C-alpha cells in the first residue's frame, strides 16, 4: 500500500501483546544468580571492583568484575575452551533462566524455541589476545578458534548448542542498547508466532587495555582511582564517567498461551517495545533526547498504556555528564515527576551490550517484589535533574508498570514497557 500524495503512510498499530516472563538468569558484579544479584543491588553491597593489571598506567585502571562465578566449574573445562568469556557468562545465565522458568530442554519442542542475545563487542578479549600472538609469534601460531570465539554471535551460538535449541538464534549488536533490543526482538518474535519461547538479553566481557584506553581518550569513564567502588555515580553532581563492567542478563519470554498451557509461574510481562535512531552523532546522543523519547513513546503505544501508568524507570543512567542530563530531561518531559527512577549501573558497572538485559531483569524483579533498587552512590543529586531518583536505600512501593530505557553509541535507542503479572 502506498501513502496518499503529501501524507505519510502510517500503519494501524498492532493489538497489545504481553509476553510472559517466566525465568530470569543473572551474572553480575553485584552477584551471580537472580537472588544474589537482586540482594546486591537492593542492599547496596559493595560490588566486585578493583585495579586490573592489564590496565596499569591508564587513567582508569579498574573494572567491575564477576568474581563469584567460575564458568569452568559449571560448564566443564572442555566446553569453556570453546567460548570467549562473554559467551561463558551467557550460558551460565541461560541455564539459570531456563531452570527458573521450570523448562526442561530434554522435552521442549526445540524448533519452537528461539534465542536473541545482544553484545556490543563480542569476544574482544580473545581477538586482542590473538592479535598479540600474531605480532609476537607470527601467523602460524594464531588460533584457528579466532572466528567462533571472537564473533558477536558467540553467546547466542553457545547457548543454542548448550541447550539444544533448533529455533531462530540471533545476535543483536546495537552498542549499549543491545540487550534491550534483543528483548524487544524476542517480544516481536513471540507476537508473530515464530516461536513459543525465546531466551533473550545481553552478555559482555570486555576488560581489554585497548577498549579502556579508548574510553579514557573519549573521557567517558571515571578516573576516581582512589575509591573505585563509588566511582560510578549516576545523577550525582560529582559524576565523572562510567565504569566498565562484565556480566550477562537473560530472561525467558513465552507466548502467554504457551505459558498458560503449561501452568508456568509468570514473574512479569514484556508488554511494549520501541526503538529509534538519532541520526545525530557516532558517539553523542541527540542533545534534546528526541530519539530516546520516540522509542519510549512507541513502547508505551505498543503496550496500549499512557505515561501516567508508569511507576518505575530503570534508566540507562551511565554516570556521564551529558547522558544523565539528556535522559532525565526526556523522562520528565514524557513521564512527569511521578515515576521512581534508578540506575543499577552504580552496582554492576556499565556492562555495555549486556546492560539492557541485566537491567530489564532487575525491572522484572522490581515489579514482582514491588521494590525499587537504589542508586547507591548518589551523594549529591545534580540539581539540574528534574526527576525523583531513588537514592541510597531501596524503596518499597506499589506499581503495575515499569520502563527500561537504553541508549547506544551510534544513536541506537530502545525502550521496554514491563507490566506486573
Amino acid at each position: 500500500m502506498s501513502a496518499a500524495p503529501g501524507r505519510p503512510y502510517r500503519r494501524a498499530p498492532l493489538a497489545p501483546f504481553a509476553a510472559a516472563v517466566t525465568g530470569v538468569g543473572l551474572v553480575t558484579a553485584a552477584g551471580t544468580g537472580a537472588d544474589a544479584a537482586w540482594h546486591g543491588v537492593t542492599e547496596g553491597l559493595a560490588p566486585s571492583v578493583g585495579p586490573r593489571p592489564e590496565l596499569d598506567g591508564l587513567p582508569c585502571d579498574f573494572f567491575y568484575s564477576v568474581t563469584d562465578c567460575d564458568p569452568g566449574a559449571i560448564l566443564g573445562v572442555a566446553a569453556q575452551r570453546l567460548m570467549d568469556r562473554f559467551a561463558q557468562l551467557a550460558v551460565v545465565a541461560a541455564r539459570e533462566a531456563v531452570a527458573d522458568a521450570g523448562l526442561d530442554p530434554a522435552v521442549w519442542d526445540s524448533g519452537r524455541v528461539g534465542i536473541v542475545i545482544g553484545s556490543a563487542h563480542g569476544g574482544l578479549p580473545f581477538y586482542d589476545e590473538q592479535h598479540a600472538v600474531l605480532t609476537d609469534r607470527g601467523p602460524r601460531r594464531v588460533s584457528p578458534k579466532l572466528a567462533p570465539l571472537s564473533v558477536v554471535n558467540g553467546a547466542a551460538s553457545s547457548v543454542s548448542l548448550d541447550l539444544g535449541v533448533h529455533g531462530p538464534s540471533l545476535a543483536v549488536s546495537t552498542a549499549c542498547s543491545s540487550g534491550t533490543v534483543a528483548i524487544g526482538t524476542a517480544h516481536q518474535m513471540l507476537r508473530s508466532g515464530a516461536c513459543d519461547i525465546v531466551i533473550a538479553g545481553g552478555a559482555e566481557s570486555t576488560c581489554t587495555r585497548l577498549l579502556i584506553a579508548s574510553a579514557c581518550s573519549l573521557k567517558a569513564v571515571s578516573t576516581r582511582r582512589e575509591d573505585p567502588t563509588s566511582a560510578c555515580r549516576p545523577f550525582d553532581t560529582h559524576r565523572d564517567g562510567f565504569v566498565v563492567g562484565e556480566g550477562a542478563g537473560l530472561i525467558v519470554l513465552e507466548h502467554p498461551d504457551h505459558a498458560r498451557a503449561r501452568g508456568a509461574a509468570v514473574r512479569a510481562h514484556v508488554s511494549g517495545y520501541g526503538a529509534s535512531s538519532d541520526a545525530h552523532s557516532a558517539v553523542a546522543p541527540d542533545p534534546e533526547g528526541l530519539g530516546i523519547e520516540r522509542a519510549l513513546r512507541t513502547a508505551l503505544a505498543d503496550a496500549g498504556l499512557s505515561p501516567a501508568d508508569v511507576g518505575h524507570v530503570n534508566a540507562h543512567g551511565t554516570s556521564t555528564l551529558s547522558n544523565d542530563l539528556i535522559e532525565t530531561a526526556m523522562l520528565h518531559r514524557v513521564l512527569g515527576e511521578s515515576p521512581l527512577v534508578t540506575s543499577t549501573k552504580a552496582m554492576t558497572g556499565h556492562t555495555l551490550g549486556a546492560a539492557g538485559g541485566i537491567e530489564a531483569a532487575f525491572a522484572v524483579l522490581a515489579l514482582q517484589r514491588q521494590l525499587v533498587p537504589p542508586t547507591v552512590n548518589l551523594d549529591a543529586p545534580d540539581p539540574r535533574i528534574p526527576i525523583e531518583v531513588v537514592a541510597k536505600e531501596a524503596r518499597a512501593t506499589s506499581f503495575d508498570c515499569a520502563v527500561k530505557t537504553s541508549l547506544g553509541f551510534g544513536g541506537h535507542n530502545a525502550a521496554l514497557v514491563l507490566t506486573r503479572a
Side-chain angles (χ1 to χ4, degrees), residues 17 187 269-274 295-296 298-305 310 367 401-404 415-419:
F17 173 81
H187 178 264
H269 293 96
V270 175
S271 298
Y273 168 59
L296 176 53
T298 299
L300 287 167
D302 188 41
L305 296 173
V310 179
L367 272 166
C401 175
V403 159
K404 170 68 208 134
L416 297 170
V417 173
L418 303 105
T419 51

Side-chain angles (χ1 to χ4, degrees), residues 86-140:
F86 88 111
Q88 297 168 21
L89 301 181
V91 173
V92 172
R95 286 188 181 183
E96 182 195 8
V98 168
D100 183 49
L103 291 164
D104 183 354
V107 299
W108 66 19
D109 182 352
S110 64
R112 298 289 300 166
V113 180
I115 296 168
V116 191
I117 300 179
S119 179
H121 295 284
L124 183 62
F126 190 73
Y127 190 94
D128 277 6
E129 173 191 310
Q130 292 304 304
H131 182 269
V133 169
L134 174 65
T135 302
D136 298 338
R137 302 169 63 188
R140 299 173 73 96

Side-chain angles (χ1 to χ4, degrees), residues 86 117-125 150-155 171-180 182 201-206 211 242 244-245 247 316 350-356 407-409 412:
F86 88 111
I117 300 179
S119 179
H121 295 284
L124 183 62
S150 67
V151 289
V152 173
N153 74 311
V172 170
S173 190
T174 55
C176 304
S177 65
S178 298
T180 303
E204 201 84 85
S205 182
T206 55
L211 184 137
F242 60 81
V244 178
H316 192 55
H350 190 353
T351 55
L352 308 178
L407 299 83
F409 275 3
H412 299 284

